[in-house]
Amino acid sequence: MFSSVATKVFVVTGSASGIGFATASTLLASGAFLGLCDVHGKGLSNFVDTLDENQKHRVVTQIVDITDRSSVRSFLSRTKAAFGKIDGVANIAGIAGHKLGREEIWEVNDTEFDLIMNVNVKGAFNVLGEALTPGLLEEPGSIVHITSMFAERGFPKGSVYSASKYAGIGMVKSAAREVGRRGIRVNAVLP
C-alpha cells in the first residue's frame, strides 16, 4: 500500500474501462477512497461487482456524461459529501471517435467532429472548471488530465482527435497558471 495515497480521496472520470479502470484499480489497491464515474453504467456496475466489501465501502459511483456540466458538478459534490474532501482528480474520460484511423480530414462529417470535440474539449473544460472551483479540492491538490501523444505529433486519419487532445493541453497549461498559487497542480499525461 502506498502511504501517500492511502486515505486520500480521488475522482476518476472514465473509470469503467481502459486507463480509467486501471487507475481506479491501482488507487483502490493502495487504500484510496474514490468517486468513480463514466457514461457507461454497465461498465461501472461490472467494476464494482469485482470489488471486495472493504473496497465497495471506499467507492461512490455515478453515471456521468462529462459534456453536461451540471452532471459533473453534481458528481463532484456527491463525492465530496460522501468522503468529506477531494484530494485529486484523474480526468481520463475521452473518446477517439468512431472512425479514428479510417477517414481523411475531408471525409469527417459534422456528427463525428461534434462527438469528439464535445467529449474531449467541452468535457475537459467542464471537469477542469468544476474541479478547480475554489473550495472543492483540498489545497494542495492535484488534477491529472489525459491527452494523447497524438496531440503533439498528429495522427494520420485522426485530425479531429489530435486537435481535441491538443486543446486539452492548452486548457491544462492555462489552468495550472491560474491555480498554482493555491497549491493545486494541474498536469497532462500524453500516453
Side-chain angles (χ1 to χ4, degrees):
M1 187 174 301
F2 302 110
S3 62
S4 65
V5 174
T7 73
K8 291 197 175 179
V9 179
F10 299 97
V11 166
V12 181
T13 69
S15 51
S17 63
I19 296 171
F21 179 88
T23 300
S25 298
T26 300
L27 288 169
L28 268 175
S30 301
F33 293 80
L34 300 180
L36 304 176
C37 70
D38 201 292
V39 72
H40 303 289
K42 182 147 179 64
L44 276 176
S45 296
N46 290 342
F47 179 40
V48 171
D49 289 344
T50 69
L51 303 178
D52 64 36
E53 286 308 309
N54 176 38
Q55 291 173 324
K56 286 180 183 178
H57 291 295
R58 290 187 284 123
V59 169
V60 170
T61 64
Q62 184 172 318
I63 297 170
V64 175
D65 177 352
I66 63 168
T67 68
D68 177 0
R69 191 161 180 164
S70 65
S71 183
V72 171
R73 182 182 311 120
S74 137
F75 175 64
L76 292 172
S77 296
R78 181 170 171 240
T79 300
K80 187 169 183 174
F83 301 121
K85 65 177 183 170
I86 297 175
D87 295 294
V89 175
N91 186 30
I92 301 172
I95 192 167
H98 301 299
K99 300 176 183 179
L100 182 68
R102 296 187 297 160
E103 290 186 338
E104 306 283 354
I105 192 168
W106 58 84
E107 297 173 304
V108 178
N109 64 37
D110 289 349
T111 302
E112 183 77 353
F113 177 89
D114 290 343
L115 171 69
I116 296 167
M117 295 304 273
N118 280 338
V119 174
N120 294 347
V121 180
K122 183 179 180 184
F125 171 76
N126 290 342
V127 172
L128 287 168
E130 290 301 319
L132 292 172
T133 299
L136 184 83
L137 280 180
E138 291 295 298
E139 297 179 14
S142 65
I143 295 180
V144 175
H145 175 72
I146 300 296
T147 64
S148 169
M149 65 182 181
F150 297 115
E152 294 196 334
R153 68 182 203 185
F155 187 91
K157 298 184 180 180
S159 58
V160 180
Y161 175 73
S162 294
S164 71
K165 292 300 187 173
Y166 192 75
I169 292 172
M171 276 190 275
V172 165
K173 286 180 177 180
S174 297
R177 294 180 62 98
E178 292 170 3
V179 299
R181 68 188 176 282
R182 290 176 20 209
I184 298 174
R185 296 180 318 267
V186 185
N187 293 296
V189 176
L190 286 69

